[in-house]
Every structure is written in structure tokens, then in C-alpha cells.
Amino acid sequence: MVGPSITIPVNKARRTGWRRLMLPKLIFTVWLFCWSAHACAYLDPVSGSFLVQSLIAIVAGALVAIKTYWTKLKAFFSARGSEPSLESKGADANEPNDGTK
Amino acid sequence: MTLEVDPGSFRDPSGFVFTKQGQIFRQVNHSYRDHYLFLEEAGLFHEFQERGWLIKHHEVAAEHGASEDAWIVIQPERLPFISYPDEWCFSQLKDAALLTLDMQRRALELGASLKDASAFNVQFRTQGPIFIDSLSFERYKEGAPWIAYGQFCRHFLAPLALAADCDVRLMRLQGQYIDGIPLDIASNLLPWRTKLRPGLAMHLHLHANSIKKNADSRTKALGARTATPHLPKKRLLNLIDHLRDTVSGLNWTPGDSEWFDYYMSNNNYGDEGLEEKERLLRRFLGKGKAQVLWDIGGNTGRFSRIAASCGYEVLCWDIDPGCVEAAYRIQTKESTLPKVVPLLVDLTQPTAARGWQLTERRSFIERADVDCIMALGLIHHLVITNNVPLPKFFAFLAALGQTVIVEFIPKSDSQVQKLLANRDTDPFGDYTLEGFTAAAEELFDIVQQSLIPKSERSLFRLRRKSI
């Protein structure tokens, strides 16, 4: 048995408002893609990889700096350690003997 | 004029590879013009080619292009063979990773950046790894993150970390995942202790977590989804340096590889016998004259290097990651040795065709049809251990090459005795010298045959019959 047909009135005012918003959204989207960083890149820019780079880069920078200074510090103390002591009585075989001691 | 576009070269809109009259070219499209001119002016191509990082190329007329999009066409240097990352040993993949990072770092200094970091962009020649995709570089935009960071971690960091900290055989997962091992899989497989190491903790575990959390971008606002975070160049360089240190710190050494000690103990020659075999082999090989030779089951490359010294361009294939690793390290360490390219393959299930329409990456057999195949100390492993009938063994060899140098190892040999030791009965009735020659003569002509002195083994040189 077929029920009575129901006609849903069209809300002309709402449909017009929806169309009014579509164009600015479209323009905004196109504008954003125009400013995309990689016009020639084709890889899918995975958001997770992008977002995590900033954090990792900051921590990595700190670790690289620590490593650099630690290397310099070790080199500094190694160099100090190999200098002959003023109290030493024997001459270092590798040191040039210029007769000043 | 036969022109064929490489079925594996289609994703990058900057250009593609094609073959014309048997030569390989790379078309550069108009869309890449500005980047190409920038890179030329920055001296990137010249510097990287001089360093041996990037394959050399020269420009040819655009009329040679394969489509109307062509701006120019470049012809790269010839590569003897194309191999795939799941066919490389640990150190090969690591060297490829370090090459990629060194190039990215230097490119950034020159104002450029890699727009992809696929392991397929690297190939191996006897001199070592070389980058083959000249169009992978683009002008760097200040503040932009590295678009290929995720791809680099999937293609290089994940398999290397799995090999170093889990099991080297997990590197074969690269064959399953054509765009690199997903970081969440690697993160789940790696032991907990790797989260305590800053390098893997950040570039792998944290990275995997971030990808997982941001995977579903449909629920996010339109602006948030398309915004690109700002990353100053100095910080990006720090990231590259730290990533390089992380990769550099990953190490794997072959443990008790069963094939590694093959020639060290229990061999069937004795030192003098081995020398006799080498002398006989040289006679059978003759002069290679730059012909291509595949040594299948080549172990650590001892006989491959003999073939190389005879003038052949040699690929040394083996099933054992430890042997391929040793073959690679031996010649990296000793520069005076004749050079080969060692690669990994399981002959009972060699590399299959993969990718889009199964044409993007070609199978092991599709890349064969070489001048000479060498199969020494191999037949008993396929016929006895893997139950491959002799006719099928020769059909396989015939599919690979024109000329075959094959060693027959009889049942009286101690190695075959070991393989038969656990069997109550011997089902290999036709595995005799007579059965071997009868099966060979179905598809090959026997050109030379000789008993190997001081052993019971025989060496054969076969030529494939014309159909």
C-alpha cells in the first residue's frame, strides 16, 4: 500500500545562504594551495612527519650542540693532560730540547 | 624507432625515464624547468657528479622526448644492472642512507632540497652507491620542513634499525612494502630498549606516534590540515645531522652464518684443491670482454672476483645476508681486489615483480638474460635440499643466461652426504653424473667438461641451445 506523498517545502533562503558561503571557501582553499611550499613536489606530505620535525629538530639541535662541546672539552683536557708538568725532571722524548729547562 | 616509457617511472610530474633504440633517457618536463636551471646555476649537478654522488648525464635535443611536455631530455650514464633495496645487505642499505643524507645536507647549503628520499633512487656499481634520479632535487623554500623525511625513515631507518636491533631477516619486509616499512610496524617490532636511545626514540618511535595521531585529518579544520609548519634552515640542518648520526650508529655483524664458514672448514678441496679449481675455472671463463656474469650462490664472492679478474662485469648473488655482507665489506676494505656487486636473493623464491600493475619493479628473472651464469657449489642445495628436479634446475639456468658454468657435486661428496644424512631413503635416483648430463643436454650443448682435480666434483661449461 502506498502512503500519502509528502512534499518537503524547499527553504529557498537557506539554499541561497549555503551558495553564498561556498565561493569564499573555494577561493580560500585555492589561495592556501597557491602558497603551498612545494609546487614541484609530488609526495603526499604526511602531517605527522611534518609536525614532528620541528620538535625533533629542536631536540636534535641541542644534542648536536652537546656532542660538539663535549668533543671540544675532551680535546681540551686531552691536550692539557699531555702538556709536560713544570715539576717534571725528565724531558719528554717528543718535546724539542731547546735548552731552556 | 622503438620507444618505451619505463613502467616504474610515472609518479614524479617533473619527468620520467624512457628507453629509445636501446638507450636510456630521462625527459625533463616544462614544470621542472625553473628548478633545473636553479640547480645548474647553483652548481649542484656538477659538484655532486664530480664527487661521485650523482649519476652523470648530458643533455640531448628535446625532439628526442617521449611526450609534448618535454622541455629537455637528458641521457644518464649507463648502469649495468638495476637492483632493489630488498636485494641489498645491511651495509649497502646503510651506505645508501648516508649518501642520501650527505646529499640532502649539501643540497640545503646550496639552496636546494630532495623532494623524495626513496631507496630506489640509489643504485650500486662496483664503485659503491650512486644516486640516479637527477630530478629528485628542487629549490629549497626557506622555512619549509623536509617533505621526504617520512619516506627516508621508512625506506632506510626502519629496515636498518630492525636489522641492527631485532633480526636482519626483517629487512626483507622492504619487498612487501614498496614505499618503505611503515614506522608503526617497525616501532612495534623493535625492542623496548631502543626507546632509550635518543636517535631511534625520536626519528622512529616518536615519529611513528606522530604519524598515527595525525593520520585522520578529515576531522580537522580545513586551515589546520593545509598549514605547513615553519622550520628554519638551521634547525633542519641539525635534524639532518642528528639523523645521520643515528644511521651511522646502527651496526650489524654477521653472527654464526652457516655459509660464511663454508670454505673455512669441511670443504672438499683442501687448499691445493681450491687452487686447482680456480685454475680450471679461469680456463672455462676465458676472457670476459665486459660481458655480464651472474654468480648465483656466490657465497663471499671468492669465485666472483676471479670472474671479475677475467674481465667480466659480475653480480654475486647469495641467499645468506652474512655472506653478502662479507662480500661487500671485503672489497670495500681492500681496494686492490677485483670488484663485483654482491646482492641478496633466495633462488627458490627470487624477487617477484611488484608495484603498480606488477610492472613498476621487475622480477629477478625479467632482469636476467645475461651473458654468463656461474653456479658453483649450488646444485645440491637446490636439487637435494629443495627437491628441485634436474630438468627444472636447467630450465631455470636457461631462463637466466646464454652460457652456464656449473659444478656437479656427486652423492659421494661430503657436503651431499650431510644433506642426505637425515633421510631414511634416497629419492634422488637420477642425481648422478649421467642423469646430470642427460638433463643438461635437453636445453644446452656441453662445450667443456672436466673433473676438478683433487675432488670428485666436475665442472661444465654449457651453451644454451637456440630455440
Side-chain angles (χ1 to χ4, degrees):
Chain A
M1 186 170 169
V2 179
S5 64
I6 300 168
T7 305
I8 300 171
V10 175
N11 187 332
K12 288 186 182 174
R14 200 180 295 167
R15 194 177 63 186
T16 305
W18 173 77
R19 279 185 177 166
R20 199 181 290 149
L21 285 173
M22 264 308 294
L23 190 56
K25 271 191 183 173
L26 188 62
I27 291 170
F28 181 61
T29 309
V30 170
W31 178 81
L32 279 174
F33 277 100
C34 286
W35 284 97
S36 169
H38 303 278
C40 207
Y42 65 96
L43 276 190
D44 178 23
V46 179
S47 338
S49 287
F50 265 19
L51 294 169
V52 83
Q53 277 185 61
S54 300
L55 172 62
I56 292 177
I58 293 170
V59 177
L63 290 172
V64 167
I66 290 170
K67 183 185 168 190
T68 307
Y69 285 115
W70 178 248
T71 308
K72 284 183 181 169
L73 206 63
K74 269 174 41 177
F76 175 74
F77 282 111
S78 300
R80 285 287 298 267
S82 65
E83 280 177 18
S85 164
L86 290 175
E87 304 296 321
S88 166
K89 293 194 177 153
D92 187 330
N94 294 327
E95 289 271 289
N97 186 352
D98 58 4
T100 54
K101 281 187 182 171
Chain B
M1 228 183 286
T2 317
L3 190 150
E4 190 189 336
V5 177
D6 186 322
S9 178
F10 60 87
R11 294 175 197 279
D12 187 353
S14 303
F16 55 86
V17 173
F18 64 95
T19 310
K20 196 170 180 181
Q21 291 178 314
Q23 295 185 71
I24 294 178
F25 299 91
R26 188 183 290 275
Q27 176 170 309
V28 183
N29 292 340
H30 287 284
S31 59
Y32 191 69
R33 179 177 175 274
D34 289 345
H35 294 276
Y36 188 94
L37 291 173
F38 170 79
L39 295 167
E40 274 234 312
E41 202 177 313
L44 182 142
F45 288 142
H46 178 76
E47 180 182 327
F48 284 14
Q49 286 166 356
E50 287 302 304
R51 281 179 184 253
W53 285 354
L54 179 66
I55 198 161
K56 290 185 177 174
H57 68 258
H58 65 272
E59 293 175 18
V60 299
E63 296 89 75
H64 293 285
S67 76
E68 287 173 359
D69 289 332
W71 169 56
I72 59 168
V73 175
I74 60 176
Q75 184 171 18
E77 257 182 344
R78 176 190 159 264
L79 278 173
F81 181 72
I82 295 291
S83 61
Y84 300 139
D86 58 320
E87 294 169 339
W88 302 342
C89 67
F90 178 87
S91 289
Q92 284 171 314
L93 185 65
K94 185 173 170 179
D95 286 350
L98 295 175
L99 170 66
T100 303
L101 289 176
D102 288 343
M103 295 179 81
Q104 169 63 356
R105 198 197 199 284
R106 183 62 188 140
L108 283 168
E109 289 171 352
L110 294 173
S113 181
L114 276 169
K115 63 180 192 230
D116 54 47
S118 162
F120 291 97
N121 284 340
V122 181
Q123 283 300 318
F124 276 87
R125 303 186 298 189
T126 52
Q127 305 95 311
I130 190 148
F131 201 86
I132 63 165
D133 190 353
S134 308
L135 309 192
S136 276
F137 297 94
E138 61 176 359
R139 187 198 288 252
Y140 167 71
K141 187 176 157 79
E142 177 61 47
W146 188 21
I147 194 168
Y149 174 59
Q151 190 178 50
F152 178 89
C153 292
R154 291 194 306 276
H155 278 248
F156 293 106
L157 187 66
L160 288 171
L162 287 170
D165 286 291
C166 213
D167 191 312
V168 72
R169 291 169 296 181
L170 289 173
M171 285 181 70
R172 301 305 297 270
L173 277 174
Q174 295 173 98
Q176 184 63 33
Y177 294 98
I178 200 167
D179 195 22
I181 300 173
L183 297 188
D184 60 330
I185 291 181
S187 180
N188 289 340
L189 288 172
L190 284 167
W192 200 89
R193 65 171 189 273
T194 57
K195 293 184 180 175
L196 302 177
R197 296 189 343 228
L200 290 181
M202 292 196 298
H203 298 291
L204 203 143
H205 294 292
L206 179 66
H207 191 174
N209 208 31
S210 178
I211 290 171
K212 202 170 164 180
K213 277 193 174 155
N214 293 281
D216 186 6
S217 56
R218 283 169 296 180
T219 54
K220 293 187 188 299
L222 181 64
R225 190 171 68 222
T226 54
T228 305
H230 181 80
L231 183 63
K233 188 174 176 178
K234 190 163 183 343
R235 287 210 183 135
L236 181 53
L237 286 168
N238 286 338
L239 181 141
I240 301 295
D241 289 340
H242 190 261
L243 186 55
R244 196 191 193 283
D245 283 347
T246 303
V247 171
S248 231
L250 295 171
N251 293 299
W252 176 73
T253 304
D256 45 313
S257 158
E258 67 176 297
W259 305 117
F260 197 83
D261 297 326
Y262 177 65
Y263 283 107
M264 302 302 155
S265 61
N266 276 341
N267 69 69
N268 287 276
Y269 304 103
D271 286 339
E272 215 176 301
L274 216 45
E275 285 172 15
E276 294 282 349
K277 180 176 174 179
E278 288 178 9
R279 261 196 288 275
L280 185 64
L281 182 62
R282 283 183 190 280
R283 235 179 49 224
F284 274 45
L285 283 166
K287 294 287 174 209
K289 294 176 193 167
Q291 290 178 312
V292 178
L293 182 146
W294 283 16
D295 182 2
I296 53 174
N299 199 263
T300 57
R302 181 187 188 128
F303 297 106
S304 303
R305 286 188 285 278
I306 289 174
S309 70
C310 293
Y312 290 88
E313 287 184 0
V314 181
L315 266 59
C316 173
W317 296 92
D318 201 85
I319 190 175
D320 189 343
C323 286
V324 181
E325 181 76 16
Y328 184 67
R329 285 199 204 177
I330 284 169
Q331 64 183 32
T332 307
K333 194 175 149 197
E334 295 181 40
S335 56
T336 54
L337 287 175
K339 297 283 190 282
V340 304
V341 177
L343 292 167
L344 193 64
V345 76
D346 178 353
L347 295 174
T348 62
Q349 43 172 351
T351 318
R354 286 167 290 172
W356 186 255
Q357 290 187 290
L358 294 177
T359 58
E360 209 175 332
R361 308 292 170 203
R362 294 184 299 153
S363 73
F364 175 82
I365 290 177
E366 283 169 325
R367 284 174 287 152
D369 198 17
V370 299
D371 299 303
C372 185
I373 296 290
M374 208 157 71
L376 310 176
L378 176 70
I379 187 170
H380 53 314
H381 296 301
L382 293 178
V383 175
I384 307 287
T385 308
N386 285 282
N387 298 95
V388 176
L390 277 169
K392 281 196 177 294
F393 172 72
F394 284 107
F396 177 64
L397 295 179
L400 295 183
Q402 282 273 352
T403 300
V404 174
I405 296 175
V406 57
E407 183 180 19
F408 175 69
I409 299 134
K411 285 181 187 172
S412 53
D413 186 278
S414 65
Q415 293 296 325
V416 183
Q417 288 292 312
K418 272 189 209 168
L419 299 179
L420 290 169
N422 290 331
R423 291 176 185 264
D424 290 333
T425 56
D426 177 359
F428 308 104
D430 64 345
Y431 188 78
T432 59
L433 187 61
E434 293 72 31
F436 174 92
T437 50
E441 283 173 329
E442 290 291 319
L443 294 168
F444 293 92
D445 294 318
I446 298 177
V447 176
Q448 278 171 286
Q449 176 182 352
S450 175
L451 192 63
I452 298 174
K454 294 183 174 53
S455 86
E456 291 179 53
R457 302 183 178 196
S458 302
L459 198 63
F460 288 78
R461 182 182 166 108
L462 312 173
R463 184 176 49 237
R464 188 170 64 195
K465 288 180 179 174
S466 24
I467 301 165

